Amino acid sequence: MVTIMTNLRENVDDFAKDIKSLNILVVGKTGVGKSTLINAIFGEETAKTGAGFPVTQYFEKYLIEEEGSIPIVLYDSAGCELGREDSFVDDTRKFLDGQLGKGVEEQIHVAWYLVSAPSARFEAFEAVIINKLYEQRIPVIIVLSQCDRAARKEIDGIIGAIDSLDFKKVYNIIEVSASPLEQLKIEPFGLNELVKRTTELLPKVLGDAFIARQVVDVKAKRFVALGYVATSAIACFGTGFVPIPFTTPAAALIAQTVLWNQIAALYRFDKIKGMASLWTKITTSKEALVTLAATTIADFFFFVPITSLLAGGTAATFVVIVGFALTKTFEELAMKELDGVSMEEIENLLQVIFKKNFDKYKSIRIREKKDVDKLRDDFLNS
């Protein structure tokens, strides 16, 4: 059974490699907080500033697109007004059938069905829509929104109503408050669980795209970041790998510009003006703390004979050290409040954090490919 499931997962992931975008459906009645949820997951004003345009009477399409990553397409329902339930159901059916008829590129990969917890109502027509999604094998997460404004009794009532309806499949139900009322003085909740469950329901390549774009769970991004690191490190053992002796630690660091760019973009720091060129500035500056940190393993490069096996291990070692340090650095930086902080201050902060993390991982040594996987697992669990 394990082998069958592994093969199935591999087939799904192989199929997903040919998909050009991640398509998410956000649907629910008027006033359930769809735009608020979208903005909480993907960043402020996503639902307003995206290139939205009508697809049908009830659905708009928003494209979240960034260079070098799989685009995310959000299909946002305009909401169902009181008395227009039948029209809403018919339009939703036509929309889903239309997407299915357009082929793989346009099919929905996951749906968030929002229900307002304070309304204490879940109606039969909503079950019809969810069953239609199931017919097309679209995973559905029922999001109980605005839970900060609902009593426990109201939330339990909705869950009970959902359980009592004729569903063809049991769905995830997640209690969420994307933007709690200020007077309550509580933090948003349920968003991390929604991100986690959405990721689990997607093929890996699409899950990585979702994790990279969401802004809720910073630590979840390390899974994607370490994918970049592992790919670069394992490539050092490839048949066509040509070892290039590092003449200086700074030159070794400059060689990792691709990793810098990938991980910076993953943590959304590529949007900061001047960030793209900062790596070169840091690694070439004689005064930079990063260069001083690099010298602590300088002899590792100068005194290891460059044979084909050792060259792969040497290069992979440095890739992993730098990659781990960059991942932790951007993770820590992403958790800090940087509004109003100057680029010079960000540069200094980045150097200090990177030096600390570089020193933490500089004792790593890699000799074989399997060492990369073990170290990655250890890092994920740290």
Side-chain angles (χ1 to χ4, degrees):
M1 177 62 72
V2 173
T3 302
I4 293 174
M5 291 303 296
T6 301
N7 291 340
L8 177 60
R9 182 68 186 186
E10 289 174 353
N11 290 337
V12 169
D13 288 340
D14 286 342
F15 173 76
K17 289 176 184 177
D18 297 326
I19 296 175
K20 304 302 180 185
S21 65
L22 165 58
N23 304 321
I24 300 175
L25 175 65
V26 185
V27 62
K29 293 190 291 187
T30 301
V32 296
K34 294 185 297 296
S35 294
T36 300
L37 180 68
I38 290 171
N39 291 336
I41 296 293
F42 296 107
E44 294 182 8
E45 306 304 313
T46 298
K48 292 181 180 179
T49 60
F53 61 90
V55 179
T56 71
Q57 177 184 358
Y58 285 104
F59 290 91
E60 287 190 337
K61 178 179 180 179
Y62 293 90
L63 179 63
I64 303 174
E65 192 171 25
E66 293 182 7
E67 185 178 352
S69 62
I70 294 175
I72 295 178
V73 176
L74 298 173
Y75 291 99
D76 182 17
S77 75
C80 176
E81 301 288 348
L82 185 63
R84 303 191 65 182
E85 291 86 356
D86 290 343
S87 175
F88 183 64
V89 170
D90 288 343
D91 195 79
T92 301
R93 282 172 167 164
K94 290 176 183 177
F95 167 76
L96 292 172
D97 289 339
Q99 295 302 112
L100 188 63
K102 292 176 184 177
V104 174
E105 296 298 326
E106 300 290 338
Q107 291 180 32
I108 304 299
H109 300 117
V110 67
W112 297 337
Y113 195 98
L114 273 69
V115 181
S116 176
S119 73
R121 296 181 65 190
F122 186 85
E123 302 183 59
F125 81 88
E126 299 183 275
V128 172
I129 292 174
I130 291 176
N131 279 333
K132 177 64 178 178
L133 290 164
Y134 171 69
E135 287 174 9
Q136 294 194 5
R137 301 297 186 264
I138 298 171
V140 178
I141 298 175
I142 298 176
V143 179
L144 298 186
S145 63
Q146 304 165 335
C147 282
D148 60 298
R149 309 173 196 183
R152 186 70 246 173
K153 183 178 180 180
E154 293 172 317
I155 296 173
D156 290 342
I158 291 181
I159 294 174
I162 293 172
D163 290 340
S164 69
L165 291 173
D166 182 24
F167 278 116
K168 296 178 181 177
K169 180 177 169 57
V170 176
Y171 293 97
N172 299 275
I173 301 176
I174 299 178
E175 299 175 21
V176 170
S177 176
S179 181
L181 295 172
E182 289 185 11
Q183 58 264 37
L184 296 178
K185 297 181 179 180
I186 61 174
E187 294 295 320
F189 59 84
L191 297 174
N192 284 64
E193 185 180 355
L194 178 58
V195 166
K196 180 176 183 294
R197 189 59 187 132
T198 299
T199 306
E200 291 171 348
L201 291 171
L202 294 169
K204 184 178 185 305
V205 65
L206 296 182
D208 286 354
F210 175 70
I211 285 295
R213 187 58 185 83
Q214 60 84 32
V215 298
V216 173
D217 191 346
V218 173
K219 287 191 175 181
K221 292 177 181 285
R222 68 168 59 171
F223 286 89
V224 182
L226 295 188
Y228 299 153
V229 176
T231 298
S232 298
I234 290 173
C236 296
F237 292 96
T239 305
F241 175 72
V242 178
I244 302 176
F246 298 116
T247 56
T248 67
L253 279 169
I254 292 173
Q256 304 312 315
T257 300
V258 171
L259 265 184
W260 161 273
N261 290 334
Q262 287 179 319
I263 298 174
L266 176 64
Y267 287 91
R268 316 294 299 153
F269 286 107
D270 58 323
K271 302 302 180 185
I272 298 178
K273 186 177 180 180
M275 184 62 76
S277 60
L278 182 56
W279 183 242
T280 301
K281 182 178 179 182
I282 289 174
T283 55
T284 55
S285 170
K286 292 181 180 180
E287 294 79 19
L289 290 172
V290 173
T291 302
L292 294 177
T295 61
T296 61
I297 63 165
D299 57 349
F300 181 63
F301 294 97
F302 295 145
F303 300 112
V304 173
I306 304 297
T307 64
S308 107
L309 178 61
L310 286 178
T314 298
T317 293
F318 197 68
V319 166
V320 169
I321 292 171
V322 173
F324 281 13
L326 283 175
T327 299
K328 287 292 289 184
T329 297
F330 281 118
E331 187 175 286
E332 291 183 41
L333 207 60
M335 294 180 180
K336 295 183 179 294
E337 179 56 59
L338 297 179
D339 288 345
V341 179
S342 69
M343 190 61 198
E344 182 179 359
E345 290 172 316
I346 291 176
E347 178 181 338
N348 291 334
L349 183 61
L350 193 148
Q351 289 184 16
V352 169
I353 298 174
F354 184 82
K355 180 184 185 304
K356 176 192 71 175
N357 288 313
F358 194 99
D359 287 344
K360 179 179 179 180
Y361 298 113
K362 68 186 180 185
S363 61
I364 287 174
R365 293 295 181 267
I366 292 175
R367 295 175 177 80
E368 304 176 78
K369 288 182 183 180
K370 64 181 181 181
D371 295 337
V372 176
D373 290 332
K374 182 181 184 306
L375 288 165
R376 178 175 56 182
D377 292 341
D378 291 343
F379 185 93
L380 287 172
N381 295 322
S382 64

